[in-house]
Amino acid sequence: VVWVMDYAGKKSAVAFQEQVIPLWPGDGKVQWVFFNLFQLGGPPDMSSGNFSWQMRRTYRNFKRFSGPGHNFTALPWGLGAWSSTDHESTCDRITYLREATREMASGRWPRLRANIYFDSKNGKITDELRPTYQQYLNLPLYTVNDWLLPALRNCQAPADIAHAALSGPCREGPEIESGELCTPQCADGYEAAIPELRCVDGVLNPQRFWCTRSWTKVGNGMCDSGWLGGDKGPTKSVECKRLCSKNPDCRAFCFGDDNPPCYLYKECTGLKTATNRGADRSGYECFEQPADSLLGNELP
């Protein structure tokens, strides 16, 4: 077990005196010092939106306030989480990532030995940011030992998928690079039961997909019969459809933006726009599956 102290708050001189030092568990208790940096509160010409300024201030204060009982400089340091954030414009986010690339390549931060990008929630790397982020990942800091690693194997698109598209089962082609996705393709009138398969060193996960008859939109509202229950979990229509596909008794579902968002049905012989208690359900969309479709208990 390796113990890490990760500071997530502000790193000003006042914060060090009032928060960072008092929270230190004591010398000899942890093996690493981590701190977090996030682009918050402004564009690159403001300090809170400037990676260089944030790194310089935090790094300097960890050195400045290191001492007996809180000997930060006796340990290796790392970024426990850092990211640009979607509070800012795409242009400002790209600038922030470029600053990070320049700083990591500069050699000015020798104590920094670990680095974790927070690729989630409001820090997620978008398609617009990906080229800049790839330049960051290509730094020698991260690639110097890549030659020691065995080459990762690509995956072959799954074979013998009934009702797959004539152009092939994967939109990306017959061979998928390790780490990339296979996006299932089905023939007209059919759709994939799962949205994607990921290739990991020669193995697709999951290994196959099924093409089922396409769902047909019935209309707006709620089905008037065959109710199987509601579910608060799904946040997207496709997740509600997936729940229905996994239930062998389910042939229809309705999805909307109220609570619960997902309703499952045995059948959908008619529609109503309000519940028995008068709640408006006109914003829900209802879909049903043909009777000869693949049943849920046969899905992967």
Side-chain angles (χ1 to χ4, degrees), residues 157-158 161 163-165 167-173 176 181-187 190-198 204-212 300:
I161 302 295
H163 308 298
S167 59
C170 296
R171 183 184 303 166
E172 293 74 11
I176 313 300
L181 296 176
C182 159
T183 306
Q185 295 187 129
C186 297
Y190 291 83
E191 59 187 43
I194 54 177
E196 61 189 29
L197 300 83
R198 182 173 295 277
L204 285 173
N205 183 27
Q207 295 183 13
R208 299 178 56 79
F209 67 90
W210 272 251
C211 290
T212 67

Side-chain angles (χ1 to χ4, degrees), residues 72 85 181:
F72 306 127
T85 61
L181 296 176

Side-chain angles (χ1 to χ4, degrees), residues 40-115:
L40 296 173
D45 58 348
M46 297 176 61
S47 59
S48 55
N50 184 295
F51 183 92
S52 303
W53 183 89
Q54 291 177 321
M55 174 64 78
R56 184 167 59 250
R57 180 184 68 160
T58 306
Y59 195 96
R60 179 189 63 205
N61 282 334
F62 268 108
K63 290 178 62 177
R64 173 186 174 188
F65 289 100
S66 180
H70 43 86
N71 193 0
F72 306 127
T73 56
L75 302 174
W77 298 353
L79 286 177
W82 76 275
S83 76
S84 69
T85 61
D86 61 9
H87 302 300
E88 315 305 331
S89 69
T90 297
C91 181
D92 288 347
R93 296 189 69 186
I94 289 174
T95 300
Y96 191 82
L97 291 174
R98 286 175 176 169
E99 287 180 350
T101 303
R102 184 177 64 247
E103 292 300 328
M104 290 304 178
S106 70
R108 284 195 289 264
W109 320 110
R111 297 185 184 277
L112 208 61
R113 304 294 181 86
N115 191 323

Side-chain angles (χ1 to χ4, degrees), residues 27 31 47 50 67 78 84 99 107 126 128-129 132 150 156 237 243:
D27 292 345
Q31 288 79 53
S47 59
N50 184 295
S84 69
E99 287 180 350
T126 63
E128 293 84 359
L129 300 179
T132 307
Q156 300 302 312
S237 176
L243 282 179

